[in-house]
Amino acid sequence: MRHYLTCLTISLLLLATAATALADTTIIHAGKLLAIPGQAAKSTQTIVVSGERIVKIQDGYADAGEFEGEVSVIDLKNRFVLPGLMDMHVHLQFELGPKNDSETLKMSSQQIEMRSVMYGMRTLLAGFTTVRDAGSRPQEMYALRDGINNGWVDGPRIIAAGGVGITGGHADISGMNPKLMEMFTSENVCDGPYDCRRATRNVIKYGADWIKITSTGGVLSDRATGTGQQMEMDELKEVVLAAKRMGRKVASHAHQEDGILAALEAGVDSIEHGSYAGPESIKLFKKTGAYLVPTLLAGETVLLMAKNSDFMSPAIKDKAIATGAAMKGNFAAAYKAGVKIAYGTDSGVSKHGTNAREAVLMVQAGMPAMDVIKSATVSTADLLDMSSSIGTIEAGKFADIIAVGSSPLDNIEELLDVDFVMKGGKVYKD
Ligand SMILES: [Zn+2]
């Protein structure tokens, strides 16, 4: 026992030493700083970082000599500095292409997981320091999240959404030999309110931070079952209730308006895609305060693939062309009407690391650049209930900081070329 205690004491001492080393100061000289998206950017600022957190922001370029201990200085004097971006809809285990079916058959879960580390890194290096994974193989997704949080591997901060879906619905396996479908059917496929209550509790049990449901059909499921409502009201309500009881929020994939309305009425926190959001859903969005996660990049990607490649089945192609074409206009109307927007790309449909393309599409649809940046920082933090730790560059928050060449407020395409990335005080790209 005594020996054990001694070892423990030594370990604690070592930990304390490591923490002290981390506590040394980094000062960032920012030529332009957009500390709080939505408020004006300031010139000639210093961000003081200690360990993984921001300590303070001060006017002018502070001198290293003003601080005690070891001080490192990062020169971003000719850069535009802003908070790390966030993407509320990624699938880190997957990238859409002609090989998806064979990959499902050939790759082990472990291989898929190893590849997701690479996709995560591409995302982080593109300036996205926090993502919500909106559906992946659960154990592998939770392990990646935990591995990153523990510092075993590098990657973005991951909020992992566990999927709950109905038999034959968008989240269920499709387009395969029946024996294989049986093999790949998730235990979180449910039918009826009580079964969906069970499935919701089950995904929380195994590690989900969020619940992801699919109230309507989806483009990429290989069944001609449309993009309208699929989950029933009693199922939706049970999922939301079971989730809330255990402190989890719910995101619902939804294309047609009937499914958007049903999910909003059931009390979900975000609608993913919202492709056919019309006046009725806009009203309900505003009443419930739910966020719309537009994923315009997914719409554009599937539309182009449907037209220019031949790997999609006819069932998928038809849905891709119709849905892809509807998204942009309805997003613009929802934004103009005051619906809350949280940035999300559905990356995995598009290539990982191109997440900033969504910002370009949002600006093209008529959203001002400042609001786009806000949707990927302040608003996403709010959706995740993490405003006290991420979303802006302010004292006490994680030092999630990126920089680009010049102001993305003048040219949103600057976000396509992020050349400095710090997450939790650690520099990943300089
Ligand atoms: Zn998705």
Side-chain angles (χ1 to χ4, degrees):
M1 188 64 183
R2 176 166 297 228
H3 175 72
Y4 167 77
L5 276 178
T6 314
C7 286
L8 188 67
T9 315
I10 291 169
S11 313
L12 286 173
L13 282 171
L14 286 172
L15 274 176
T17 317
T20 314
L22 271 178
D24 274 353
T25 305
T26 301
I27 59 176
I28 301 172
H29 292 154
K32 284 274 181 202
L33 174 63
L34 181 66
I36 304 173
Q39 298 179 17
K42 290 182 181 170
S43 301
T44 323
Q45 300 286 302
T46 298
I47 307 164
V48 182
V49 175
S50 177
E52 54 186 12
R53 302 266 177 178
I54 297 158
V55 176
K56 61 175 173 175
I57 321 292
Q58 62 187 73
D59 289 331
Y61 295 136
D63 194 82
E66 295 173 31
F67 303 91
E68 283 182 18
E70 204 177 298
V71 180
S72 59
V73 181
I74 295 173
D75 180 359
L76 298 175
K77 285 178 184 157
N78 55 10
R79 287 284 176 276
F80 187 100
V81 179
L82 65 160
L85 301 171
M86 296 182 232
D87 189 331
M88 292 299 97
H89 197 128
V90 302
H91 300 279
L92 288 178
Q93 291 173 8
F94 151 89
E95 210 165 70
L96 182 63
K99 286 186 184 159
N100 292 148
D101 287 345
S102 65
E103 282 173 356
T104 305
L105 298 178
K106 288 180 176 177
M107 288 178 74
S108 68
S109 285
Q110 291 83 354
Q111 287 173 319
I112 286 173
E113 176 159 26
M114 291 306 288
R115 189 179 59 181
S116 75
V117 177
M118 175 182 77
Y119 289 153
M121 255 337 260
R122 285 184 190 167
T123 307
L124 177 61
L125 295 179
F128 288 78
T129 48
T130 299
V131 298
R132 190 179 60 181
D133 194 313
S136 287
R137 295 183 189 215
Q139 288 313 316
E140 293 75 9
M141 170 173 56
Y142 305 146
L144 178 62
R145 171 198 64 194
D146 298 341
I148 291 168
N149 287 342
N150 288 329
W152 301 334
V153 289
D154 289 334
R157 189 171 286 111
I158 294 175
I159 311 304
V164 171
I166 55 162
T167 299
H170 177 51
D172 198 4
I173 189 85
S174 61
M176 280 192 181
N177 174 313
K179 285 269 181 257
L180 290 171
M181 290 217 274
E182 213 170 286
M183 211 174 108
F184 284 107
T185 297
S186 157
E187 60 181 0
N188 302 320
V189 166
C190 61
D191 294 290
Y194 296 116
D195 195 23
C196 290
R197 181 191 285 178
R198 173 203 57 80
T200 305
R201 290 169 174 174
N202 194 54
V203 297
I204 296 170
K205 170 180 173 178
Y206 287 102
D209 301 311
W210 267 70
I211 306 299
K212 159 79 182 295
I213 54 174
T214 51
S215 69
T216 75
V219 170
L220 294 178
S221 29
D222 191 5
R223 261 189 291 269
T225 41
T227 52
Q229 183 176 351
Q230 291 188 339
M231 288 181 80
E232 294 303 334
M233 205 60 219
D234 56 0
E235 293 167 327
L236 293 165
K237 280 189 168 157
E238 273 304 329
V239 169
V240 172
L241 182 62
K244 306 265 149 155
R245 292 267 191 238
M246 295 191 185
R248 297 295 184 274
K249 294 178 107 174
V250 181
S252 182
H253 154 111
H255 289 301
Q256 298 281 353
E257 187 153 47
D258 54 359
I260 299 173
L261 290 171
L264 287 173
E265 208 168 299
V268 303
D269 300 286
S270 69
I271 293 287
E272 313 297 302
H273 320 303
S275 314
Y276 296 95
E280 282 304 304
S281 38
I282 287 174
K283 247 188 257 164
L284 201 50
F285 264 114
K286 292 179 75 177
K287 191 176 152 203
T288 66
Y291 275 92
L292 170 64
V293 179
T295 72
L296 302 179
L297 184 53
E300 183 190 71
T301 306
V302 294
L303 185 61
L304 287 172
M305 279 185 177
K307 286 181 174 164
N308 304 323
S309 68
D310 57 4
F311 74 90
M312 288 174 166
S313 72
I316 293 177
K317 254 188 192 180
D318 290 350
K319 290 183 284 181
I321 289 169
T323 310
M327 271 184 175
K328 231 180 185 175
N330 290 324
F331 156 71
Y335 163 70
K336 288 201 180 97
V339 172
K340 296 199 283 185
I341 307 291
Y343 193 97
T345 59
D346 213 352
S347 283
V349 173
S350 52
K351 295 224 171 302
H352 295 287
T354 64
N355 313 56
R357 284 268 312 138
E358 180 80 17
V360 177
L361 297 175
M362 289 165 96
V363 168
Q364 281 173 8
M367 193 171 181
M370 182 66 103
D371 282 356
V372 171
I373 294 170
K374 205 175 153 191
S375 83
T377 52
V378 175
S379 305
T380 41
D382 179 50
L383 174 60
L384 296 173
D385 288 333
M386 293 177 76
S387 298
S388 61
S389 57
I390 51 176
T392 61
I393 298 176
E394 289 180 285
K397 295 196 182 183
F398 284 121
D400 291 0
I401 297 166
I402 64 168
V404 294
S406 60
S407 176
L409 301 170
D410 301 331
N411 176 14
I412 198 69
E413 293 197 4
E414 286 294 332
L415 294 181
L416 298 172
D417 189 14
V418 169
D419 46 24
F420 173 84
V421 178
M422 172 185 272
K423 184 197 123 206
K426 183 173 168 186
V427 176
Y428 291 88
K429 189 178 194 180
D430 192 358

